[in-house]
Amino acid sequence: AAGVIQSPRHLIKEKRETATLKCYPIPRHDTVYWYQQGPGQDPQFLISFYEKMQSDKGSIPDRFSAQQFSDYHSELNMSSLELGDSALYFCASSLFPDQLEAFFGQGTRLTVV
Amino acid sequence: QKEVEQNSGPLSVPEGAIASLNCTYSDRGSQSFFWYRQYSGKSPELIMFIYSNGDKEDGRFTAQLNKASQYVSLLIRDSQPSDSATYLCAVIPPGSNDYKLSFGAGTTVTVRA
């Protein structure tokens, strides 16, 4: 079965640079969620989109922005990167409101140096 | 206060034994509860979810929900070394616009061969 696809899998950026993470949800899924997981931490919700509109917002820095496109894929744009942004970034998708379950992609490991 | 609290462990059990993981939640209005398994550096993988009081079984896993006590648990029967992972308890916070998740800190389980 098709899963959530994230790219790139690994990314190394320097401080103050910009990064773009991409997420392709499971086919037919209309909702995308972004999470950030620091070392030894649990995943923290950043932002979500339903039918291409922002649905909910969590602890996402103002330096970050995201959107969902007409094909339901989503991109997380991160600017003015800081060392503390180094983390695993997960995207999850679900079929809202029909299914409670959200399925996670393999994640993007971002390292800021 | 986190919406979901878990004992971080580590929980060490011998192969073939039952592993019991516990989770409490703070908002009595929470409705749906999830257990995810996460191997180090990998993405969270959904084990099961529960929203009705009582037990729900899926293979070697049983989730138990007690809304009066605001308590969710996961039992892993016949534990295998491959079950060694971090187990994340999660809840959809009341008032959410979608099915975003709030995670506990996770319980690390080690199954001894």
Side-chain angles (χ1 to χ4, degrees):
Chain A
V4 178
I5 305 296
Q6 290 187 245
S7 66
R9 294 291 308 278
H10 302 274
L11 193 57
I12 300 176
K13 291 285 185 178
E14 295 188 354
K15 285 193 301 184
R16 293 180 289 278
E17 284 194 317
T18 297
T20 297
L21 279 55
K22 297 184 179 182
C23 169
Y24 296 85
I26 292 171
R28 290 184 56 240
H29 280 194
D30 51 15
T31 306
V32 168
Y33 313 82
W34 286 97
Y35 294 86
Q36 178 192 57
Q37 187 173 28
Q41 305 294 315
D42 55 281
Q44 295 292 315
F45 171 73
L46 292 177
I47 195 167
S48 57
F49 293 87
Y50 167 63
E51 284 291 345
K52 294 152 280 184
M53 299 289 289
Q54 181 179 310
S55 177
D56 217 331
K57 195 171 182 180
S59 50
I60 184 169
D62 292 340
R63 300 177 289 108
F64 294 6
S65 65
Q67 58 182 318
Q68 186 179 33
F69 294 86
S70 58
D71 64 350
Y72 295 99
H73 94 273
S74 179
E75 295 183 5
L76 177 65
N77 298 293
M78 311 160 68
S79 63
S80 303
L81 287 169
E82 303 173 356
L83 295 178
D85 296 329
S86 296
L88 274 168
Y89 290 84
F90 292 109
C91 170
S93 74
S94 71
L95 181 61
F96 181 84
D98 299 344
Q99 296 176 0
L100 285 173
E101 315 98 293
F103 298 93
F104 282 73
Q106 293 304 301
T108 294
R109 180 175 294 282
L110 172 66
T111 303
V112 182
V113 297
Chain B
Q1 181 188 9
K2 283 179 73 71
E3 289 169 295
V4 179
E5 298 283 352
Q6 294 180 254
N7 290 327
S8 61
L11 175 65
S12 180
V13 298
E15 185 174 358
I18 296 176
S20 178
L21 291 78
N22 304 317
C23 170
T24 58
Y25 58 95
S26 58
D27 194 320
R28 191 170 289 278
S30 299
Q31 296 292 321
S32 304
F33 307 87
F34 303 78
W35 284 100
Y36 282 84
R37 176 175 64 194
Q38 187 175 30
Y39 296 108
S40 180
K42 303 298 184 183
S43 61
E45 174 191 6
L46 180 65
I47 298 173
M48 61 194 311
F49 67 93
I50 186 169
Y51 49 81
S52 299
N53 268 329
D55 295 358
K56 180 180 179 182
E57 185 175 317
D58 185 357
R60 296 186 295 110
F61 299 96
T62 299
Q64 299 173 318
L65 173 60
N66 183 326
K67 290 188 176 181
S69 301
Q70 296 179 231
Y71 176 94
V72 190
S73 65
L74 180 71
L75 300 178
I76 308 173
R77 290 182 302 281
D78 187 23
S79 296
Q80 302 297 308
S82 59
D83 294 326
S84 298
T86 296
Y87 290 79
L88 297 163
C89 176
V91 63
I92 298 173
S96 295
N97 295 327
D98 50 37
Y99 297 152
K100 71 174 187 187
L101 296 169
S102 179
F103 286 90
T107 298
T108 301
V109 173
T110 300
V111 180
R112 310 186 304 272

